[in-house]
Amino acid sequence: AQKVTQAQTEISVVEKEDVTLDCVYETRDTTYYLFWYKQPPSGELVFLIRRNSFDEQNEISGRYSWNFQKSTSSFNFTITASQVVDSAVYFCALSGHGSSNTGKLIFGQGTTLQVKP
Amino acid sequence: EPEVTQTPSHQVTQMGQEVILRCVPISNHLYFYWYRQILGQKVEFLVSFYNNEISEKSEIFDDQFSVERPDGSNFTLKIRSTKLEDSAMYFCASSGLTDNEQFFGPGTRLTVL
């Protein structure tokens, strides 16, 4: 069975602080994909990143970075120098791969990030 | 930039009524999905659709739910007899391949009274 766990329900930081959102996943697939989505207060789901299970290189995009560690089944997300506009719910998600894969996303419970000025 | 659109943005209905939620996926995408998010909870998979048929559905997607792609552009989710617990945000998503990122629509907030 596939499962995504985001143990942090809510995080509150002050602007300019760095913050890391944790994501731990479970899957029996040898190939899979991991995602992060942002859900701002307006409610839409905004795609942030997709990572293939074969690619364990960390990725940086501006103030965002992702640390993928297969050994611990984790795909953590760090925001450097957080800003008020980063306040949102962040979801980690998992999908499988292969001929039987339909592409469905399994989401974690989400982490609500509040960045205070 | 192409985007997934959904109508209506908010639907209020009485318990027991039928509702149809509409989505227009990105035009060259082949895989279509519906997800549900009860207020304050996680996003849950309902159904995936490919080649004019359901490819996978979750336990939530019972006989009260159906999906259709009636005209090659719209992708609809029908709930035959709504229940109070169907109140949620419903997201449509599409992708070009099953391995690609899914692009989500803005959602339809369904309120069942």
Side-chain angles (χ1 to χ4, degrees):
Chain A
Q2 295 179 315
K3 185 179 178 182
V4 176
T5 302
Q6 295 178 254
Q8 305 150 308
T9 306
E10 291 184 27
I11 300 176
S12 181
V13 299
V14 177
E15 212 171 13
K16 297 184 184 174
E17 284 185 17
D18 298 347
V19 57
T20 295
L21 310 181
D22 297 334
C23 173
V24 174
Y25 61 91
E26 296 174 29
T27 181
R28 293 192 187 130
D29 292 339
T30 52
T31 304
Y32 49 89
Y33 293 86
L34 295 162
F35 303 79
W36 276 94
Y37 282 85
K38 174 181 179 180
Q39 187 174 44
S42 50
E44 72 271 26
L45 286 165
V46 178
F47 167 79
L48 295 178
I49 189 170
R50 176 179 72 109
R51 173 63 74 201
N52 182 312
S53 57
F54 288 124
D55 183 2
E56 288 194 66
Q57 274 194 327
N58 291 333
E59 180 153 343
I60 298 174
S61 176
R63 295 184 298 107
Y64 295 171
S65 63
W66 291 269
N67 183 353
F68 176 31
Q69 294 203 340
K70 237 173 163 177
S71 60
T72 55
S73 297
S74 65
F75 186 45
N76 297 337
F77 172 32
T78 297
I79 302 174
T80 303
S82 59
Q83 300 175 359
V84 173
V85 294
D86 296 327
S87 297
V89 182
Y90 291 87
F91 290 98
C92 180
L94 167 72
S95 77
H97 177 75
S99 59
S100 63
N101 175 43
T102 63
K104 74 175 182 186
L105 293 174
I106 305 298
F107 284 84
Q109 294 284 358
T111 297
T112 300
L113 174 64
Q114 184 181 36
V115 181
K116 298 177 181 174
Chain B
E1 187 175 322
E3 59 182 17
V4 177
T5 59
Q6 289 185 245
T7 54
S9 57
H10 191 188
Q11 173 93 45
V12 181
T13 189
Q14 294 291 325
M15 190 169 57
Q17 295 296 305
E18 174 184 287
V19 294
I20 297 177
L21 310 183
R22 291 184 166 78
C23 168
V24 179
I26 293 173
S27 62
N28 61 348
H29 282 183
L30 301 175
Y31 298 86
F32 313 111
Y33 307 86
W34 283 102
Y35 293 84
R36 178 182 84 174
Q37 185 182 30
I38 294 171
L39 186 64
Q41 298 187 22
K42 69 177 179 180
V43 180
E44 301 174 288
F45 168 77
L46 290 178
V47 66
S48 58
F49 192 86
Y50 169 70
N51 201 25
N52 281 321
E53 61 182 22
I54 290 174
S55 47
E56 187 173 0
K57 59 184 180 180
S58 71
E59 293 175 355
I60 302 168
F61 195 88
D62 61 22
D63 291 343
Q64 293 298 315
F65 290 88
S66 62
V67 289
E68 201 175 38
R69 190 159 158 78
D71 56 12
S73 62
N74 289 286
F75 179 49
T76 62
L77 173 69
K78 182 193 290 185
I79 309 175
R80 286 188 185 80
S81 179
T82 50
K83 301 185 282 256
L84 294 177
E85 54 264 38
D86 293 328
S87 294
M89 181 76 92
Y90 288 81
F91 290 102
C92 172
S94 70
S95 67
L97 296 170
T98 57
D99 295 345
N100 284 8
E101 64 264 32
Q102 292 178 23
F103 291 86
F104 282 80
T108 292
R109 179 164 298 286
L110 176 65
T111 302
V112 182
L113 302 176

